[in-house]
Amino acid sequence: GPSDLSYSDVFKGKTVVLFGIPGALTPTCSENQMPGYVENYDKFMEKGVDTVACLAVNDPFVTSAMSKKVDPDGKILMLADGAASFVKAVGIDVDTGNFGGIRSRRCAMIVKDGKVEVFGDEGGTGFTDISSAETMLSKL
Protein backbone atom coordinates (compact mmCIF):
# COMPACT_ATOMS: atom_id res chain seq x y z
CA GLY A 1 0.00 0.00 0.00
CA PRO A 2 0.92 3.66 0.06
CA SER A 3 3.65 4.90 2.36
CA ASP A 4 5.02 8.31 3.28
CA LEU A 5 8.32 9.37 1.76
CA SER A 6 10.41 12.28 2.95
CA TYR A 7 12.25 14.70 0.69
CA SER A 8 15.48 12.97 1.76
CA ASP A 9 14.09 9.54 0.91
CA VAL A 10 13.53 10.65 -2.67
CA PHE A 11 16.42 13.04 -3.33
CA LYS A 12 19.36 12.68 -0.89
CA GLY A 13 22.49 11.44 -2.63
CA LYS A 14 20.60 10.67 -5.83
CA THR A 15 20.06 11.99 -9.32
CA VAL A 16 16.33 12.20 -9.87
CA VAL A 17 14.32 13.19 -12.92
CA LEU A 18 11.00 14.43 -11.57
CA PHE A 19 8.09 15.41 -13.77
CA GLY A 20 4.98 17.10 -12.48
CA ILE A 21 1.58 16.46 -13.96
CA PRO A 22 -1.67 18.35 -13.34
CA GLY A 23 -3.68 15.17 -12.86
CA ALA A 24 -3.21 11.43 -12.95
CA LEU A 25 -5.29 9.64 -15.59
CA THR A 26 -6.06 12.86 -17.44
CA PRO A 27 -5.57 12.49 -21.21
CA THR A 28 -2.53 14.73 -21.72
CA CYS A 29 -0.75 13.38 -18.65
CA SER A 30 -1.37 9.69 -19.27
CA GLU A 31 -1.29 9.68 -23.08
CA ASN A 32 1.34 12.31 -23.94
CA GLN A 33 3.71 13.22 -21.10
CA MET A 34 4.20 10.12 -18.95
CA PRO A 35 4.60 7.58 -21.80
CA GLY A 36 7.78 9.37 -22.90
CA TYR A 37 9.31 8.85 -19.47
CA VAL A 38 8.33 5.19 -19.45
CA GLU A 39 9.69 4.63 -22.98
CA ASN A 40 12.97 6.42 -22.18
CA TYR A 41 13.45 4.98 -18.69
CA ASP A 42 16.44 2.82 -19.68
CA LYS A 43 18.11 5.80 -21.38
CA PHE A 44 17.76 7.80 -18.15
CA MET A 45 19.37 4.95 -16.20
CA GLU A 46 22.23 4.77 -18.73
CA LYS A 47 22.88 8.48 -18.10
CA GLY A 48 23.27 7.91 -14.35
CA VAL A 49 19.77 8.73 -13.15
CA ASP A 50 18.80 6.83 -10.00
CA THR A 51 15.07 7.53 -10.06
CA VAL A 52 12.47 8.78 -12.51
CA ALA A 53 9.49 10.11 -10.54
CA CYS A 54 6.06 11.46 -11.38
CA LEU A 55 4.45 14.02 -9.05
CA ALA A 56 0.68 14.56 -9.07
CA VAL A 57 -1.78 16.27 -6.77
CA ASN A 58 -3.95 13.20 -6.42
CA ASP A 59 -4.40 10.52 -3.80
CA PRO A 60 -2.07 7.48 -3.92
CA PHE A 61 -4.79 5.18 -5.20
CA VAL A 62 -5.32 7.35 -8.28
CA THR A 63 -1.57 7.61 -8.96
CA SER A 64 -1.30 3.84 -8.52
CA ALA A 65 -4.10 3.31 -11.05
CA MET A 66 -2.27 5.56 -13.50
CA SER A 67 0.94 3.63 -12.96
CA LYS A 68 -0.80 0.33 -13.66
CA LYS A 69 -2.28 1.74 -16.87
CA VAL A 70 0.70 3.67 -18.28
CA ASP A 71 3.68 1.97 -16.60
CA PRO A 72 2.68 -1.65 -15.92
CA ASP A 73 6.28 -2.60 -15.05
CA GLY A 74 6.35 0.05 -12.31
CA LYS A 75 9.56 1.76 -13.41
CA ILE A 76 8.39 5.28 -12.53
CA LEU A 77 8.13 6.27 -8.85
CA MET A 78 4.65 7.73 -8.38
CA LEU A 79 4.50 10.55 -5.84
CA ALA A 80 1.02 11.52 -4.66
CA ASP A 81 0.79 15.01 -3.16
CA GLY A 82 -2.82 14.74 -2.04
CA ALA A 83 -2.95 18.03 -0.12
CA ALA A 84 -0.75 19.88 -2.66
CA SER A 85 1.64 20.68 0.17
CA PHE A 86 4.81 19.89 -1.79
CA VAL A 87 3.78 21.72 -4.97
CA LYS A 88 2.81 24.78 -2.91
CA ALA A 89 6.06 24.68 -0.90
CA VAL A 90 8.22 24.64 -4.04
CA GLY A 91 6.04 27.06 -6.01
CA ILE A 92 4.85 24.80 -8.82
CA ASP A 93 1.15 24.94 -7.93
CA VAL A 94 -1.58 26.13 -10.27
CA ASP A 95 -5.21 26.78 -9.40
CA THR A 96 -7.48 25.14 -11.95
CA GLY A 97 -10.60 26.44 -10.19
CA ASN A 98 -13.71 24.32 -10.35
CA PHE A 99 -12.04 21.92 -12.78
CA GLY A 100 -9.73 20.39 -10.20
CA GLY A 101 -8.60 22.95 -7.63
CA ILE A 102 -4.90 23.24 -6.82
CA ARG A 103 -2.73 21.03 -9.02
CA SER A 104 0.90 20.76 -10.05
CA ARG A 105 1.99 22.87 -12.99
CA ARG A 106 3.23 20.68 -15.78
CA CYS A 107 6.98 20.68 -15.41
CA ALA A 108 10.09 18.53 -15.27
CA MET A 109 13.35 18.84 -13.42
CA ILE A 110 16.68 17.18 -12.86
CA VAL A 111 17.52 17.10 -9.17
CA LYS A 112 21.00 16.13 -7.98
CA ASP A 113 21.42 15.44 -4.27
CA GLY A 114 18.38 17.57 -3.47
CA LYS A 115 19.35 20.53 -5.66
CA VAL A 116 17.35 21.37 -8.79
CA GLU A 117 19.90 21.71 -11.60
CA VAL A 118 17.53 21.84 -14.59
CA PHE A 119 13.93 23.07 -14.51
CA GLY A 120 11.50 22.98 -17.40
CA ASP A 121 8.28 24.76 -16.49
CA GLU A 122 5.25 24.77 -18.76
CA GLY A 123 3.83 27.59 -16.62
CA GLY A 124 0.42 25.92 -16.33
CA THR A 125 -1.27 22.76 -17.48
CA GLY A 126 -0.40 22.75 -21.20
CA PHE A 127 2.18 20.37 -22.65
CA THR A 128 4.99 21.19 -25.04
CA ASP A 129 8.51 19.84 -25.29
CA ILE A 130 9.57 21.93 -22.25
CA SER A 131 8.69 19.12 -19.84
CA SER A 132 9.13 16.16 -22.15
CA ALA A 133 11.31 13.15 -21.43
CA GLU A 134 13.34 13.88 -24.55
CA THR A 135 14.14 17.41 -23.36
CA MET A 136 15.22 16.16 -19.93
CA LEU A 137 17.39 13.48 -21.54
CA SER A 138 19.11 16.13 -23.65
CA LYS A 139 19.98 18.09 -20.47
CA LEU A 140 21.78 15.20 -18.75
Side-chain angles (χ1 to χ4, degrees), residues 74-129:
K75 296 176 181 179
I76 308 298
L77 174 65
M78 299 300 290
L79 300 172
D81 185 13
S85 54
F86 181 81
V87 297
K88 288 178 185 174
V90 299
I92 58 170
D93 56 304
V94 61
D95 189 346
T96 64
N98 290 336
F99 179 77
I102 301 298
R103 298 294 179 121
S104 173
R105 289 200 312 257
R106 192 176 308 280
C107 62
M109 59 192 84
I110 299 168
V111 184
K112 293 187 179 179
D113 195 22
K115 181 182 176 202
V116 176
E117 297 206 348
V118 174
F119 182 55
D121 183 11
E122 299 281 3
T125 61
F127 179 57
T128 67
D129 65 339

Side-chain angles (χ1 to χ4, degrees), residues 7 15-16 25 27 49-50 55 57 61 68 70 74 76 87 93 95 101 111-112 115 118 121-122 124 128 136 138-139:
Y7 186 85
T15 298
V16 178
L25 294 174
V49 171
D50 298 295
L55 173 68
V57 178
F61 300 102
K68 288 175 184 168
V70 183
I76 308 298
V87 297
D93 56 304
D95 189 346
V111 184
K112 293 187 179 179
K115 181 182 176 202
V118 174
D121 183 11
E122 299 281 3
T128 67
M136 289 299 112
S138 74
K139 306 285 184 181

Side-chain angles (χ1 to χ4, degrees), residues 3 5 8-9 12 17 27 36 47-48 53 61 65 72 83-84 88 107 114-115 126:
S3 61
L5 292 174
S8 294
D9 291 336
K12 188 172 182 182
V17 173
K47 290 192 172 232
F61 300 102
K88 288 178 185 174
C107 62
K115 181 182 176 202

Side-chain angles (χ1 to χ4, degrees), residues 33-80:
Q33 188 179 18
M34 187 169 169
Y37 286 92
V38 174
E39 292 162 11
N40 287 290
Y41 179 84
D42 292 335
K43 292 178 184 174
F44 282 113
M45 297 299 109
E46 289 167 9
K47 290 192 172 232
V49 171
D50 298 295
T51 306
V52 177
C54 174
L55 173 68
V57 178
N58 287 108
D59 68 62
F61 300 102
V62 173
T63 57
S64 177
M66 181 175 177
S67 178
K68 288 175 184 168
K69 177 182 177 185
V70 183
D71 180 27
D73 294 330
K75 296 176 181 179
I76 308 298
L77 174 65
M78 299 300 290
L79 300 172

Side-chain angles (χ1 to χ4, degrees), residues 10-31:
V10 177
F11 298 107
K12 188 172 182 182
K14 298 175 187 170
T15 298
V16 178
V17 173
L18 174 74
F19 62 100
I21 60 173
L25 294 174
T26 58
T28 303
C29 302
S30 60
E31 296 169 14

